[in-house]
Amino acid sequence: QVQMVESGGGLVQPGGSLRLSCAASRIFSPNIMGWYRQAPGNQRELVARITRGGDTSYADSVHGRFTISRDNAKNTVYLQMNSLKFEDTAVYYCNTAPPTRHVWGQGTQVTVSS
């Protein structure tokens, strides 16, 4: 079974940037991939998604600050996060959109703190 491996998280100050990567454990190129996040006490939410052809959409909370992209040849999806805010603190995951249960990886922690 394919699994996603997320990386690139870390501790960053408000206003800072991070670039997350998500690689599939094997060849995997579904039509729509998404980045999700889950903050403590909250449900997991979809923040950005991208089609195989490159069409993107974003949650209102991140629109204009985050950019999703993908490299189909490398089975990799990226999330460029700029102008980070305290409320962006969460564990970030990638998966298909809508999500496929067995594909969830461990996620990568993003902490925005001064």
Side-chain angles (χ1 to χ4, degrees), residues 16-109:
S17 298
L18 284 174
R19 188 188 191 218
L20 307 184
S21 299
C22 174
S25 58
R26 62 171 178 81
I27 294 175
F28 184 67
S29 186
N31 182 33
I32 305 177
M33 288 294 297
W35 277 98
Y36 300 76
R37 68 184 181 188
Q38 187 168 21
N42 290 359
Q43 290 188 336
R44 197 170 298 184
E45 61 172 344
L46 176 67
V47 297
R49 64 179 188 172
I50 185 168
T51 69
R52 191 182 295 122
D55 292 328
T56 60
S57 61
Y58 300 91
D60 289 344
S61 58
V62 307
H63 195 275
R65 300 187 298 120
F66 290 10
T67 302
I68 188 172
S69 60
R70 68 191 285 177
D71 185 331
N72 294 325
K74 295 182 179 180
N75 301 303
T76 302
V77 184
Y78 306 96
L79 186 68
Q80 177 67 42
M81 305 187 297
N82 299 329
S83 302
L84 283 161
K85 304 177 180 181
F86 293 119
E87 53 264 41
D88 294 319
T89 295
V91 179
Y92 284 72
Y93 305 85
C94 69
N95 201 325
T96 58
T100 304
R101 186 168 59 183
H102 69 265
V103 170
W104 291 113
Q106 295 300 308
T108 186
Q109 175 71 49

Side-chain angles (χ1 to χ4, degrees), residues 1-14:
Q1 288 183 341
V2 65
Q3 272 209 316
M4 310 309 293
V5 180
E6 300 90 351
S7 62
L11 175 64
V12 63
Q13 293 186 338

